[in-house]
Amino acid sequence: MPLIDGKKVAKEMRERIAHKVEVVKNQTGKVPGLATVLIGEDPASMVYVRNKNKTCKELGFNSFQHNLPETTKENDLLALVDELNQNDQVSGILVQLPLPQHIDSQKVLEAIDPGKDVDGFHPVNVGKLVTGTATLVPCTPAGIIELLNHYSVDIEGKHAVVLGRSNIVGKPVSLLLLNRNATVTICHSRTKDLPVVTRSADILVAAVGKANFVTGDMVRDGAVVIDVGINRVDGKLVGDVAFDEVEPKAALITPVPGGVGPMTIAMLMQNTLKAFTASIQPS
Ligand code: NDP
């Protein structure tokens, strides 16, 4: 089975991070701190935030949870972000998206100190990603590159096709692949002759948000297939890739669940550790 085991890779990463936290704690008496901000009671967001806080505890991080009502005013959220920016105990700030309609998400993301922006969504960090100098990179795209590295997938000179151009997944993973010298094609809902494009991919990343969208005829033999999609069908989690059709053709493929998903939280912890380490360096 050419399976990429994201669960195992993420576990190994969490163990390495926990060890580093232990070492730095012994040296300095300090540990990284992650602040999560959740507005409202969206069930999926509640699960994500709970898992992030649980992982913090497992790895020896401090976690600061701010769960606020749906009716929270934009100004009050901005004031909280400012308070967290000033708080030395907080190394990283994560504002769980999506935010309610009455709050301007971009304004909130731009209010986060770029050095504490562990989601990597602040324009300063996006700019650094474009110039290839980023340290805080969006978690899911960073997790994808980590998986490719772990399985020794050669990226340089390869044709990487990315399905999706969101700011959270499609664009940043395209930039990371480009920074690793892949030839990158970004596809979206207006792309013409999509199967022709996807069939030319050595590395195919699917981040569309449509269950079983990538079918066997869209994939060339020997491609590496990364399925980012999380879709619920009849109560079951399925990816954007029709796994049963594509798996026999792929050199390597991520399952859903257990592929990209577990990497996202591991990379968030890695970013928080990075932000913490930078904050305790003597300036
Ligand atoms: P978005 O909805 O923001 O973006 C989807 C992208 O797919 C858009 O760029 C859209 O194009 C494109 N698209 C839609 N339909 C088609 C089509 N028919 N042909 C080609 N492209 C199409 O989603 P996200 O990027 O936020 O997420 C994508 C998936 O990844 C979701 O299932 C999400 O749940 C999952 N996800 C998983 C994470 C994890 O940790 N594993 C983390 C984040 C997301 P256009 O721009 O033209 O509309």
Side-chain angles (χ1 to χ4, degrees):
M1 271 285 253
L3 268 194
I4 293 181
D5 189 346
K7 224 168 143 179
K8 178 165 158 274
V9 179
K11 182 169 178 279
E12 288 167 7
M13 239 184 117
R14 290 198 306 272
E15 285 165 1
R16 279 198 302 275
I17 295 170
H19 176 69
K20 286 185 187 159
V21 171
E22 189 65 34
V23 170
V24 80
K25 186 179 173 184
N26 289 337
Q27 287 168 348
T28 66
K30 294 179 182 170
V31 296
L34 176 67
T36 57
V37 180
L38 172 66
I39 310 285
E41 295 183 353
D42 174 66
S45 294
M46 286 169 80
V47 171
Y48 293 144
V49 168
R50 202 179 313 134
N51 286 340
K52 287 165 188 171
N53 286 299
K54 190 169 144 247
T55 310
C56 277
K57 294 208 174 68
E58 282 166 14
L59 304 195
F61 290 36
N62 282 331
S63 74
F64 306 94
Q65 292 183 53
H66 296 269
N67 295 355
L68 304 174
E70 180 84 23
T71 51
T72 301
K73 294 198 175 71
E74 185 179 281
N75 274 347
D76 292 333
L77 176 56
L78 291 170
L80 172 62
V81 168
D82 191 43
E83 195 185 306
L84 297 171
N85 283 340
Q86 309 299 328
N87 186 340
D88 289 346
Q89 301 282 306
V90 173
S91 333
I93 302 169
L94 181 139
V95 177
Q96 185 65 45
L97 301 176
L99 290 171
Q101 291 279 322
H102 66 277
I103 296 178
D104 180 347
S105 303
Q106 198 55 33
K107 202 167 164 184
V108 175
L109 295 180
E110 289 182 20
I112 297 173
D113 176 345
K116 295 190 177 191
D117 168 39
V118 286
D119 254 340
F121 296 154
H122 191 286
V124 165
N125 289 323
V126 176
K128 287 183 176 178
L129 180 58
V130 173
T131 54
T133 56
T135 45
L136 296 177
V137 172
C139 303
T140 302
I144 292 169
I145 300 296
E146 191 71 27
L147 286 177
L148 294 175
N149 287 343
H150 187 92
Y151 283 84
S152 305
V153 174
D154 200 8
I155 301 176
E156 181 158 327
K158 294 289 155 52
H159 186 203
V161 174
V162 177
L163 298 182
R165 56 172 164 181
S166 72
N167 292 336
I168 294 173
V169 187
K171 280 183 202 159
V173 79
S174 302
L175 286 163
L176 289 173
L177 290 162
L178 180 63
N179 292 345
R180 290 286 298 274
N181 298 319
T183 301
V184 182
T185 303
I186 307 174
C187 301
H188 46 78
S189 63
R190 323 288 160 81
T191 299
K192 296 219 160 52
D193 301 327
L194 190 65
V196 175
V197 183
T198 56
R199 270 198 296 273
S200 71
D202 301 305
I203 300 169
L204 180 62
V205 179
V208 181
K210 291 189 171 156
N212 303 319
F213 181 83
V214 176
T215 45
D217 60 314
M218 293 170 74
V219 179
R220 88 148 56 134
D221 281 331
V224 173
V225 180
I226 304 291
D227 189 353
V228 188
I230 301 179
N231 310 287
R232 218 166 257 284
V233 176
D234 301 330
K236 215 176 134 221
L237 277 192
V238 296
D240 287 348
V241 174
F243 186 87
D244 292 346
E245 288 179 29
V246 173
E247 188 264 340
K249 302 181 87 174
L252 281 168
I253 185 167
T254 56
V256 176
V260 174
M263 293 303 290
T264 300
I265 294 191
M267 298 314 295
L268 173 69
M269 297 298 135
Q270 168 130 309
N271 274 350
T272 307
L273 178 61
K274 270 189 201 167
F276 166 73
T277 309
S279 74
I280 60 167
Q281 299 290 347
S283 49

